[in-house]
Amino acid sequence: MASTSVSSMILFIAAMLVAASVAGTLVTSVGDVSGSIDARSADAAQTIDTEVDIISDPGSEAVYDDSTTTVTLLVKNTGNGRLPADASKPDVLVDGQYVGAADRTLTVVSGSEWRSGNVVRLELTADLDPGEHRVVLIVNGDREVFEFYV
């Protein structure tokens, strides 16, 4: 009977070790999933708060300077949050071609930060032929399209 008691005790200890290792694995997995959900919800909140409008006049001669091959757009932050006034942050396409960060500048027109209600001047280097052109601006998932003629 003593050997049955020892066998039962060994099986009990083994069962406890297995249960503890499974619980440890589950706690780690739940922590990883929780962290991932937190990061994803912060990104979603930023995307929801972001809204910009291109307020330049498409008929204005100020949009494209042929002598410097520069497209100048005025972009207003109409969302709820502050946006980075960094030329490398928005994605910009001119006539379907990506404009790299080296070929663009972004300057806050009023104030020092791109807060809600503030306007930035976005200048893009692009050699354009006469005719219709299209600029697509994407900031934190918000997509704006601006069409103009040269």
Side-chain angles (χ1 to χ4, degrees):
M1 183 153 193
S3 68
T4 305
S5 171
V6 171
S7 309
S8 296
M9 184 62 84
I10 291 173
L11 285 174
F12 176 74
I13 292 171
M16 287 287 126
L17 289 173
V18 168
S21 67
V22 168
T25 302
L26 287 176
V27 167
T28 302
S29 297
V30 168
D32 291 345
V33 169
S34 175
S36 177
I37 290 171
D38 288 344
R40 188 88 165 122
S41 65
D43 290 344
Q46 184 179 18
T47 299
I48 290 170
D49 285 346
T50 300
E51 188 170 338
V52 297
D53 288 324
I54 299 173
I55 59 172
S56 295
D57 179 5
S60 171
E61 291 182 14
V63 172
Y64 184 68
D65 185 347
D66 194 25
S67 64
T68 61
T69 63
T70 303
V71 176
T72 303
L73 300 177
L74 297 176
V75 184
K76 185 173 185 176
N77 180 353
T78 56
N80 293 328
R82 185 176 66 93
L83 298 171
D86 181 0
S88 67
K89 295 299 180 188
D91 290 321
V92 182
L93 300 163
V94 175
D95 294 333
Q97 298 295 315
Y98 183 77
V99 179
D103 293 325
R104 57 187 175 195
T105 60
L106 192 130
T107 309
V108 179
V109 174
S110 57
S112 60
E113 295 182 333
W114 196 10
R115 296 186 180 275
S116 182
N118 285 7
V119 176
V120 296
R121 181 181 302 108
L122 177 63
E123 295 179 327
L124 313 167
T125 302
D127 191 9
L128 302 178
D129 293 326
E132 182 179 356
H133 298 281
R134 181 181 199 164
V135 176
V136 177
L137 174 68
I138 303 170
V139 180
N140 290 343
D142 183 41
R143 181 177 185 266
E144 292 296 316
V145 177
F146 183 77
E147 295 178 344
F148 64 101
Y149 292 91
V150 173

